[in-house]
Each structure stands twice: as structure tokens, then as C-alpha cells.
Amino acid sequence: MKKMPSEKTMEKFVIKVMDIIEGKEKGKLSNKDIEMARIYVDFLCDMKNETGLKVKAWSSYTGNLLYPQNWKQAEMYLLKSLEEYQNPYAANALGYIYYYGRVNDGVAEYDKALQFFTLASMANIIEARYKLTDLMVSGKGFPMQMPNYAYNILIDMYKNELLPKFREGKFSCEFADVAIRLGNLFMATAEEDAMNAYRYYLIGKYALDLRMKSFEQYGDKSILAKLLPKIEKAKNLYHNNFRTTKKELGKDINLIIRFVEQAKPIVTVKENKKGEYSLKLMSFEFETFAAKELIVLPESDYCSLIGKIKLSSVKAMDIGSSAGECFTVDYAYVKNDSLRLCTMEETKEGKACKRILLSIALDDIGSIKAE
């Protein structure tokens, strides 16, 4: 019998093969390469090697060139990986197996799912944490339904962990999954809060589209297919039951108002030879950290990341005497068919008041471009 290479050599070869299979590295694999990788993986598993156990568990979980999908085999090697190396990602995958009843003829095993998702969540795995909220909402594995508890966990992940990453262009994160679950919670009482249900579904759809373009994850197509009818239902509920003057202003003006409200942008004004003006509203965080603002306008069925807005061919404007060519604004509104950009100041009595820095008649705005 031919002598096997060293453990390190086998491990290195298997990692290279997996990188090519998953598209992390360019290259072609022959049938001989695949067969050799299988032999090495089996040897590594017999040695309780961490890489070997991970590769066989994950390959059996998803199905790939090395091994066909086999839930029983995936369960066995995930348990071994968890036992030998306390791998929290193995615990998370086991949670999914039991949640969907993949080794129990399709019958969910919620108590086991709760156990393994809890283990994984203690290692701060976002997937496990939001799957725990699914169990809380349904009351499966828990003594009661706990939607408010689930909401607090989800909104904390959304605001404090995932939104900052998403604004910086890290689209592979679980931002879409958490936004969709927030939409689900509001959809449960959609007649009372159709706007938030629709808002979070718009965010989830936008984030999922960006994730699928940058690095499609296992199950993303299924998530999208289930989300689309939810968005349509929430959209109809929202537009049929929610009346606002925002709809009358149109998307572009609402976009400016919302951007100013969130970004408190720096405004730069320039005049050209024709006597027309151009304005650039730029988020300080975008200029400094390349972090864009997530702007959501349910009334306009709109959701996008925006770092700056440009107004071009502005025919005329009234600029406050203290504004200058570059200033910061923190409030915008429309009055008497004019867009007004303001700063908030405190009076001697300690009250907040608006000071208008710039006013533009809506009809005098040539074009609006968001980037």
C-alpha cells in the first residue's frame, strides 16, 4: 500500500481543493484530484483532524464535488467537530438540522435546536442569535411566545452590530436576515404598523440583493422567494391605509429631507458662469469613513445607501448671510413650495429654533442625483 503523506500535507491539499470548489481560488480539479481529496479527508477524520472534520461536515451539509448532501452524515461529523474542538459553527449548523427536522423525517426537534443555537449564540454567531428569536416568536422550545424579547434582540443586532457594517459596504453580513425578521414582527400587527413592516421588508430586499451580487450565501434564493410575496402584501397594506403629504412631494425632495435628517451633511454651493448654482450635500461619515446613509422612503417604495446628493442647474436661491459657500445643515423641510435647509440653534431661553441657511424654490431645481 502506498504510504500516505504527512497530516500537514494532506490538510494543505484538502484546503486548496475546497478553496477551488468554493470559488475562493482559481483552478481546475481533475477526477483524480477529487478522489485524492476524499481519501485525505477520510484519513484526516480518522485522525480527528480539525480540518478534516470541518470539510466532511460542511460538504455533507451543503453537498459539493467531494460529497453529496447527506444530513445524517453531516450531523455525525458536526457533532464530532463540536466534541473535539468546541466549534461554535458546528453548533449553529446542528441547530439548523434540528430546527428543520432534517434527520427526523422532516419533523422539527425544537428542544435540540434551542440547545445548539444557544451554544452558538454564546460565541456571538449572528445566525444563531436570530434563529433563537424565531423560536421565541413561535414559542417553540420555550415555555411561551416572547415577541417583545425577540424584538429587543433583533433591534440591538440591527442598530449596533449590522447596520454600521452594511453602511461601510460589508454586504455579506446577516443584515438582510435581521431586517426581514423585524419586518415579520411588524407584519404580525400590520394593520396598526404597516409602515414599519414595509420599511424593514424594503431594507431586507435591498440588503439581500446586494449580498447575492457580492457573495451569494447558501439559501439566499429561497429567502428571496419567500420574501417577495410578503413585500407585496405589506406594500398594499401601507399604501392603502397610510396617507401623507410626503407622497405629494415626490421621491427626490423626500430623499433630500431624509438625508439631511440622518446625515447632518456638509453643504457646498458653487455658482457657474451662467449664474446657475450647484449644491453638494455630503455626509461627514461618508467623506471621513466612506460610510453611507441607509435611506428608506416607504412612501416612494425606495431604499438605497447614499453618501452624497448633488443638485444641479439651480436657477436661483436665497442664501442666509451667515451661511457662506460651505456650511452644515441638520434640518430640511418644504414650505410655500420652497426647500429650506436649516440649522438648529438654542435661544437664550434654552429653546430650540430653526435658522434658515438656504431656500430654493422647487421649480428652480434642475436635477437631483444621489450617489
Side-chain angles (χ1 to χ4, degrees), residues 30-293:
S30 65
N31 290 336
K32 186 178 179 181
D33 292 331
I34 297 297
E35 185 58 35
M36 188 60 67
R38 285 196 198 104
I39 293 170
Y40 287 175
V41 169
D42 289 341
F43 262 88
L44 290 170
C45 286
D46 289 341
M47 300 165 70
K48 298 183 179 180
N49 173 277
E50 185 174 9
T51 297
L53 293 173
K54 280 183 181 179
V55 169
K56 193 150 188 177
W58 184 244
S59 298
S60 302
Y61 188 94
T62 61
N64 59 26
L65 289 173
L66 284 184
Y67 300 96
Q69 190 177 66
N70 184 321
W71 296 119
K72 285 285 188 183
Q73 185 166 276
E75 178 194 28
M76 180 172 68
Y77 284 96
L78 286 167
L79 285 168
K80 287 183 178 181
S81 181
L82 183 60
E83 180 182 0
E84 294 293 332
Y85 298 99
Q86 287 75 61
N87 178 3
Y89 291 95
N92 184 55
L94 285 163
Y96 273 91
I97 285 175
Y98 299 128
Y99 185 90
Y100 292 106
R102 287 167 173 164
V103 291
N104 194 36
D105 296 323
V107 179
E109 298 176 90
Y110 293 119
D111 289 342
K112 286 184 179 180
L114 175 59
Q115 176 187 353
F116 286 101
F117 281 139
T118 301
L119 279 175
S121 69
M122 291 171 72
N124 203 31
I125 294 177
I126 298 291
E127 275 186 283
R129 290 164 65 193
Y130 68 62
K131 289 305 292 182
L132 278 178
T133 69
D134 290 349
L135 291 167
M136 291 173 188
V137 171
S138 66
K140 303 290 175 59
F142 285 94
M144 65 193 77
Q145 292 178 299
M146 298 187 289
N148 291 337
Y149 201 115
Y151 173 80
N152 289 333
I153 292 172
L154 290 168
I155 202 67
D156 180 66
M157 286 193 286
Y158 176 91
K159 287 183 177 179
N160 299 320
E161 296 179 55
L162 299 173
L163 180 58
K165 292 180 182 179
F166 187 73
R167 289 180 58 206
E168 293 172 358
K170 297 171 183 175
F171 302 139
S172 62
C173 69
E174 295 83 357
F175 184 65
D177 308 281
V178 170
I180 291 167
R181 280 165 172 79
L182 285 167
N184 290 341
L185 283 175
F186 283 108
M187 195 64 184
T189 56
E191 291 185 5
E192 299 174 14
D193 205 347
M195 183 184 71
N196 270 320
Y198 186 40
R199 179 176 181 272
Y200 281 110
Y201 281 153
L202 282 173
I203 294 169
K205 170 66 164 54
Y206 177 67
L208 188 59
D209 286 341
L210 289 176
R211 186 167 80 189
M212 292 175 74
K213 287 178 183 177
S214 60
F215 183 72
E216 186 175 329
Q217 296 183 7
Y218 181 75
D220 277 354
K221 289 179 181 176
S222 175
I223 294 171
L224 179 60
K226 292 176 182 177
L227 175 62
L228 292 176
K230 292 181 180 180
I231 291 178
E232 195 61 28
K233 183 178 180 181
K235 177 181 177 180
N236 291 333
L237 280 169
Y238 168 71
H239 284 300
N240 290 337
N241 299 315
F242 194 70
R243 298 287 181 268
T244 173
T245 54
K246 289 181 178 180
K247 293 181 181 180
E248 298 169 8
L249 292 175
K251 184 192 77 176
D252 289 341
I253 299 303
N254 282 327
L255 184 61
I256 294 172
I257 293 171
R258 188 67 57 80
F259 182 73
V260 169
E261 178 185 307
Q262 289 184 208
K264 316 298 183 193
I266 300 166
V267 179
T268 305
V269 180
K270 291 185 179 180
E271 184 178 4
N272 63 22
K273 293 179 181 179
K274 297 179 182 179
E276 294 180 336
Y277 298 90
S278 64
L279 284 80
K280 181 172 72 174
L281 289 72
M282 181 177 287
S283 159
F284 172 78
E285 289 191 40
F286 177 63
E287 186 176 36
T288 310
F289 308 110
K292 294 185 176 183
E293 296 293 327

Side-chain angles (χ1 to χ4, degrees), residues 249-265 267 279-281 295 297 299 302 306 308-312 314 329-334 339-342 358 360 362 365-370:
L249 292 175
K251 184 192 77 176
D252 289 341
I253 299 303
N254 282 327
L255 184 61
I256 294 172
I257 293 171
R258 188 67 57 80
F259 182 73
V260 169
E261 178 185 307
Q262 289 184 208
K264 316 298 183 193
V267 179
L279 284 80
K280 181 172 72 174
L281 289 72
I295 305 296
L297 305 173
E299 65 275 6
Y302 177 87
I306 303 296
K308 57 186 175 182
I309 296 177
K310 294 180 180 179
L311 283 69
S312 303
V314 178
V329 296
D330 49 25
Y331 190 74
Y333 66 100
V334 171
L339 174 67
R340 301 182 179 185
L341 303 181
C342 314
L358 187 149
I360 313 170
L362 298 181
I365 300 175
S367 64
I368 299 171
K369 183 180 180 182

